Amino acid sequence: MDKKYMERYWHTSSHILAQAVKKLFPDVKLGTGPAIENGFYYDFYREEPFTPDDIEKISKGMEDIIRQNLPVEKISVSKDEAKKILKDEPFKLEILEGIKEETVTFYRQGDFIDLCEGPHISSTGEIKHFKILSTAASYWRGDETRESMQRIYGVSFPEKAQLDQYLKFLEEAKERDHRTLGPKLDLFSIHPEFGSGLIYWHPKGSIVRKIIEDFWKDVHIKNGYQIVYTPHIADLSLWERSGHTGFYKENMFTPMEMGNKVFQLKPMNCPFHIIIYNTKLRSYRDFPIRWAELGTVYRYEKQGVLHGLLRVRGFTQDDAHIFCTEEQIEEEVVKVLDLVSFFLGKFGFTEYKTFLSTRPEKYVGSPDGWEKATIALENALKKKEMGYEIDPGEGVFYGPKIDIKIRDCLKREWQCSTIQVDFNIPERFALKYTDKDGSFKTPILIHRAILGSIERFFGVLIEHYKGNFPFWLAPEQIRVLPISERHLPYAEKIGGLLEPHFRIQIDTRNEKINRKIRDAEEEKVPYIIIIGDKEEEKNTIALRKHGEGMLGTFTTDEIIRKLKECQ
Amino acid sequence: MDKKYMERYWHTSSHILAQAVKKLFPDVKLGTGPAIENGFYYDFYREEPFTPDDIEKISKGMEDIIRQNLPVEKISVSKDEAKKILKDEPFKLEILEGIKEETVTFYRQGDFIDLCEGPHISSTGEIKHFKILSTAASYWRGDETRESMQRIYGVSFPEKAQLDQYLKFLEEAKERDHRTLGPKLDLFSIHPEFGSGLIYWHPKGSIVRKIIEDFWKDVHIKNGYQIVYTPHIADLSLWERSGHTGFYKENMFTPMEMGNKVFQLKPMNCPFHIIIYNTKLRSYRDFPIRWAELGTVYRYEKQGVLHGLLRVRGFTQDDAHIFCTEEQIEEEVVKVLDLVSFFLGKFGFTEYKTFLSTRPEKYVGSPDGWEKATIALENALKKKEMGYEIDPGEGVFYGPKIDIKIRDCLKREWQCSTIQVDFNIPERFALKYTDKDGSFKTPILIHRAILGSIERFFGVLIEHYKGNFPFWLAPEQIRVLPISERHLPYAEKIGGLLEPHFRIQIDTRNEKINRKIRDAEEEKVPYIIIIGDKEEEKNTIALRKHGEGMLGTFTTDEIIRKLKECQ
């Protein structure tokens, strides 16, 4: 599918949706209706929510409009003229106010006209197969202090097979949705009434997080990193010094005024590591210095963009800062890339897309420094034989960077690792080191994260594994099921033997064995041990694997040996 | 020494100090001058700081006043009269304004008079041996928005031997002061310019923290706890529900307003665990539920009371909440007490003082519930044969509690573990569980912390160990010192053999061996390995222990075996 064509295709589909809604419900006020990554939506303001019946009618209305094969026309008018056209559309008027140009464009199809920059396809009849997918509440401009809107999502394709395939993908994605699986498997919860975008990790989710974090720390220490811990707040002056109050203010929570001091919740860990750096005079002998922190940061995202674990307001970065000389950049980046493939591979992600972003128009630092750093990043990518695309001019203002997106089993892409050279902070905090010749120089600072955010990565993992965590990560690895109450003592004996090695539970409930098996399967416990008369007699246990069924009868020693290999 | 007598003794000493200051510097304005735990201080307002020369003169002035053996008289006057007496003392007038009674008391000795409740000793001649210890900046009423004062600390005793002993203790305490050792050993730093009371953990401090935290988590998991992670902020409504905005407001940072939502930095972890509890219907079968979190909380302490790691604004509680039935309280508290002695013993604290605080005048919950819970706590203490004192009426309003103070090697006491029953939160959050008979009941909630705060405990540890961390905690366990550059390859070979087992460094600097040894000793590395010709020839290593000197020559295998036992 041609991406640009589909964007126009979906944009026109959203106008058809709006046209159908306005015909059926003339009092509805229009918000905006863009094409999105997959399909389109339109936001409407209406007191009563759309019922399934309404949606049915809207769908029929869209079919009519498509059948009429109305041409889609672009019209340019003056702002004054536009105001007249939009006199009954307060949200559109608000958009109009924000436009600086004196002439604006509308798109018209039949009796429907919409303030719109376009582009669109040429007629409504081009839309062959569409489906309204869902409705959701949203806020006007994603701002929770503004009007609550009703968003209708849809998708459309030229071929029926494309629509069918997409609906199948949606079905599969729905089954994997971490927002459903998370609470169902008792992994985490979110409580918008006590603050949206904040994650409560339940015991089962927390044990997975702990395993990931312990593993992360061990591997980092073995690879020459040192762990640090820093506060979650600092005096506002730190953020003025770092420049965040200037270029990052929109994403920061409001400051806390305490008497004559003002504290700021941290959106980033960097300035804290910088302060530690500056507590001592560093030498070239100390380089590379690699400081890693699982640092929880808080960024204010608009209500409308929050999405389960994937887009949150509080998240834990697997952050590290590397201080080194210019000559060391390449080798350090190679080492980070090694860590990236090691970690991502460990979780089963072997396909990824890599982007190298180069100098944008506005930047700090010297062109020469940028040039050298960009070449070092590129050489590292070449050395690792990693395919990559160059995003020219897409670097952050403070330095060039490498971004890595992973692909999950549904081929969806997730931004994950990042490696960024920073020419801004070393200057702002006057970082120095003494070089071989005794002179003071400014070190190179590299920011890097591998998993990106623990919360986000956990969300991706849940979907990637469909909740079936591999044995080493499973919150509960083995459940022991006594067939009846008289088998409980033997079950507890077996449990006692397994417990030092694995995370186990014994199902002591007075339930039928089939019910116990079904529950364990639903809770996605990787292995089930069933214990009845036969097992007790022979001093063995029957082992069942999640999703695969019975594996056979084993001694406890055999099981311990076998499963320890999976850890 | 009689504690009450010494309080009066030191209180009078502070008046003598103030009298001497006023005589020498009549323009100085008086703040307050109490007896403290050890000695006394007086706060003065004066533009220029007191010089060592001034202090010398003040000391001489105090000797004069003592020599004159002035009687100390108590005088009662009306508030109006008091105003006249204090007309030139603005800070005293401010105190006077806050007094509700119509009659106030002064204490007078010679020509010096001070607004004061007393009590005092009867004459200045009773003070036999005193010493001015130090000066420090302070804020009027500990409030950093108010005037900056100069505080002079002193101590006094009836016997010369007592003073000498106390000065020796101070000397020893100073050598152990974590505020000096922390930065010196590169363990942590504090940066008041970027926010007072916030701790930056350097790599060496962080590795100790990581070892403590990993150990803490492992032991908790083995003892039936589950780990949880919760956010650092929540909507203000959560703190209204929990009651903290009412009874805890003074200790909380100001809320962050984001549009129509208000977020609050957490001073406590409890409400978050409660929210997780309420995501499911719990049953008596699930009890006891034990949820543990290393939760970093933020409490606003006044600038004046902050003290290194011991009194901070951000700290990590080794928090846990136990949900259980009334019948389970005793057994659960016994288990917590077991953990307390296990953990404290592991760090070398074997002496502690235990307090049981009972129902205060204002309380929530039923008298019957209090009674049962208090008996359960007391029974647990008896069962563990722990000596304890009862603090009648000193329980928090929400329930009875056990507090445990540890004694370090200088016999100083530090509040550490706490076990508190809570009748407030279960009611406020309508916590429920289904009992055996199917009825809904309110669970018992127990808050508990063992180390108290990781920051504080680390501060106590630094002082207790005098920076000489035991082998299992030492940031750097072994340093390998090649005698000259030609021994470097062998040193690196030895380092490579030790590295998988221990935290080691190789001193690769081109320095004399004695300098290398001195540096390693100063940095308090527990073991030093020295490598020269002899060692290289015989394929051995010379081992030196911190503070003890040479232990002899060993093979690498012997060292690994020997030191692994110390881990």
Side-chain angles (χ1 to χ4, degrees), chain A residues 144 186 194 201-203 206 213 227-229 232 235 254 256-258 261 275 279-280 291 298 300, chain B residues 144 186 194 201-203 206 213 227-229 232 235 254 256-258 261 275 279-280 291 298 300:
Chain A
E144 63 201 275
D186 204 9
F194 297 126
W201 294 74
H202 294 203
S206 296
E213 290 189 347
I227 305 289
V228 296
Y229 296 83
H232 298 92
D235 197 285
T254 49
M256 296 169 278
E257 289 188 27
M258 304 298 304
K261 296 283 178 187
I275 289 177
T279 57
K280 260 174 95 165
W291 287 342
Y298 290 86
Y300 192 73
Chain B
E144 63 200 276
D186 204 8
F194 298 126
W201 294 73
H202 294 203
S206 296
E213 291 190 346
I227 306 289
V228 294
Y229 297 82
H232 299 91
D235 197 285
T254 48
M256 295 169 276
E257 288 188 28
M258 303 298 304
K261 296 283 178 186
I275 289 177
T279 56
K280 260 173 95 165
W291 287 341
Y298 290 85
Y300 193 73

Side-chain angles (χ1 to χ4, degrees), chain B residues 68-79:
Chain B
Q68 293 168 41
N69 195 13
L70 304 168
V72 181
E73 298 169 82
K74 180 178 180 176
I75 305 152
S76 293
V77 301
S78 72
K79 241 173 150 175

Side-chain angles (χ1 to χ4, degrees), chain A residues 136-394:
Chain A
S138 65
Y139 290 103
W140 172 237
R141 300 200 144 167
D143 178 349
E144 63 201 275
T145 64
R146 298 296 309 270
E147 292 84 349
S148 185
M149 315 287 283
Q150 293 185 62
R151 177 171 296 179
I152 300 181
Y153 285 98
V155 76
S156 55
F157 290 98
E159 306 289 338
K160 174 120 190 349
Q162 290 170 318
L163 179 62
D164 289 347
Q165 193 193 347
Y166 184 70
L167 293 179
K168 211 180 133 198
F169 162 82
L170 277 190
E171 194 68 27
E172 175 70 330
K174 197 176 160 191
E175 278 177 37
R176 291 174 180 269
D177 194 327
H178 73 283
R179 293 170 301 173
T180 317
L181 283 176
K184 192 179 155 201
L185 298 176
D186 204 9
L187 298 172
F188 73 90
S189 58
I190 303 176
H191 303 269
E193 69 277 30
F194 297 126
S196 298
L198 303 169
I199 309 303
Y200 292 69
W201 294 74
H202 294 203
K204 285 188 178 175
S206 296
I207 193 73
V208 180
R209 172 167 171 176
K210 182 184 175 297
I211 296 165
I212 295 174
E213 290 189 347
D214 287 351
F215 173 67
W216 185 92
K217 284 185 222 164
D218 284 352
V219 172
H220 276 80
I221 290 171
K222 283 194 187 115
N223 282 276
Y225 284 78
Q226 293 176 302
I227 305 289
V228 296
Y229 296 83
T230 64
H232 298 92
I233 58 174
D235 197 285
L236 193 62
S237 62
L238 179 63
W239 307 103
E240 279 158 4
R241 180 88 185 262
S242 66
H244 286 93
T245 47
F247 60 76
Y248 209 70
K249 193 164 190 247
E250 277 208 1
N251 292 294
M252 282 153 71
F253 276 78
T254 49
M256 296 169 278
E257 289 188 27
M258 304 298 304
N260 57 356
K261 296 283 178 187
V262 185
F263 291 86
Q264 172 66 50
L265 195 59
K266 74 171 166 188
M268 293 199 181
N269 302 304
C270 344
F272 296 87
H273 294 199
I274 298 305
I275 289 177
I276 298 178
Y277 182 94
N278 272 345
T279 57
K280 260 174 95 165
L281 179 59
R282 312 283 168 180
S283 145
Y284 74 95
R285 289 173 181 280
D286 304 325
F287 285 174
I289 288 174
R290 306 184 193 98
W291 287 342
E293 177 170 21
L294 290 166
T296 307
V297 297
Y298 290 86
R299 298 181 185 172
Y300 192 73
E301 300 275 3
K302 283 192 176 164
Q303 181 77 34
V305 301
L306 296 174
H307 183 94
L309 291 165
L310 301 180
R311 195 89 180 253
V312 295
R313 284 181 179 156
F315 61 98
T316 305
Q317 291 187 303
D318 68 321
D319 213 351
H321 293 94
I322 299 171
F323 302 87
C324 62
T325 63
E326 203 170 65
E327 294 69 42
Q328 290 171 324
I329 301 178
E330 184 180 320
E331 196 186 334
E332 285 306 303
V333 174
V334 165
K335 284 183 178 166
V336 175
L337 291 173
D338 281 337
L339 278 183
V340 166
S341 37
F342 175 74
F343 273 105
L344 299 184
K346 178 80 184 174
F347 294 98
F349 299 107
T350 47
E351 282 185 55
Y352 27 86
K353 263 194 171 168
T354 305
F355 301 89
L356 172 63
S357 303
T358 61
R359 204 180 74 204
E361 270 181 41
K362 281 190 178 176
Y363 65 94
V364 297
S366 72
D368 180 54
W370 271 83
E371 176 78 9
K372 281 182 184 156
T374 310
I375 288 173
L377 293 184
E378 192 157 14
N379 281 346
L381 287 169
K382 283 179 183 158
K383 207 172 250 173
K384 297 309 302 169
E385 296 182 351
M386 283 173 75
Y388 61 93
E389 288 173 32
I390 291 188
D391 265 353
E394 285 299 307

Side-chain angles (χ1 to χ4, degrees), chain B residues 20-274:
Chain B
V21 168
K22 284 295 274 189
K23 191 165 184 187
L24 284 158
F25 311 97
D27 292 343
V28 159
K29 302 300 171 199
L30 297 175
T32 51
I36 53 177
E37 206 192 339
N38 289 299
F40 58 89
Y41 70 76
Y42 212 108
D43 279 345
F44 303 100
Y45 180 80
R46 184 184 181 228
E47 301 263 311
E48 318 85 89
F50 293 114
T51 64
D53 212 43
D54 295 339
I55 296 295
E56 184 70 34
K57 281 182 199 150
I58 294 167
S59 194
K60 287 246 151 41
M62 288 175 73
E63 277 171 27
D64 273 353
I65 296 162
I66 291 168
R67 208 172 303 120
Q68 293 168 41
N69 195 13
L70 304 168
V72 181
E73 298 169 82
K74 180 178 180 176
I75 305 152
S76 293
V77 301
S78 72
K79 241 173 150 175
D80 279 347
E81 187 62 24
K83 256 184 213 162
K84 280 177 211 155
I85 299 171
L86 298 171
K87 65 180 193 309
D88 295 326
E89 295 289 352
F91 299 103
K92 295 287 182 190
L93 282 171
E94 191 178 325
I95 296 171
L96 188 68
E97 267 169 39
I99 299 176
K100 283 182 191 141
E101 289 72 25
E102 266 317 296
T103 310
V104 297
T105 61
F106 281 79
Y107 276 81
R108 181 163 63 191
Q109 56 206 39
D111 53 2
F112 178 78
I113 188 160
D114 200 355
L115 177 71
C116 178
E117 279 192 298
H120 281 267
I121 53 175
S122 55
S123 74
T124 62
E126 269 183 59
I127 308 298
K128 299 296 179 198
H129 305 275
F130 77 92
K131 191 167 169 61
I132 294 182
L133 296 170
S134 59
T135 58
S138 65
Y139 290 104
W140 172 237
R141 299 199 145 168
D143 177 349
E144 63 200 276
T145 65
R146 297 295 309 269
E147 292 83 350
S148 184
M149 315 288 284
Q150 292 185 64
R151 178 170 295 179
I152 300 180
Y153 285 97
V155 77
S156 55
F157 292 98
E159 306 289 338
K160 172 119 193 348
Q162 291 169 319
L163 179 62
D164 290 345
Q165 192 192 347
Y166 182 70
L167 294 178
K168 211 180 131 200
F169 161 83
L170 277 189
E171 196 68 26
E172 175 71 346
K174 198 177 158 190
E175 279 177 35
R176 291 174 181 269
D177 195 327
H178 74 283
R179 292 170 302 173
T180 316
L181 283 176
K184 192 179 154 199
L185 298 175
D186 204 8
L187 298 171
F188 72 91
S189 58
I190 303 177
H191 302 270
E193 69 276 30
F194 298 126
S196 298
L198 302 170
I199 309 304
Y200 292 69
W201 294 73
H202 294 203
K204 284 189 178 174
S206 296
I207 193 74
V208 181
R209 172 166 171 177
K210 181 184 176 295
I211 295 165
I212 296 174
E213 291 190 346
D214 287 351
F215 173 67
W216 185 93
K217 283 185 222 164
D218 284 352
V219 171
H220 276 80
I221 290 171
K222 283 193 187 115
N223 281 276
Y225 283 79
Q226 293 174 303
I227 306 289
V228 294
Y229 297 82
T230 64
H232 299 91
I233 58 172
D235 197 285
L236 194 63
S237 62
L238 179 62
W239 307 101
E240 280 159 2
R241 180 90 185 261
S242 67
H244 286 93
T245 47
F247 59 77
Y248 209 70
K249 193 162 190 250
E250 278 208 359
N251 291 294
M252 283 153 70
F253 276 78
T254 48
M256 295 169 276
E257 288 188 28
M258 303 298 304
N260 57 356
K261 296 283 178 186
V262 185
F263 291 85
Q264 172 66 50
L265 195 58
K266 74 172 167 187
M268 294 198 180
N269 301 304
C270 342
F272 296 87
H273 294 198
I274 299 306

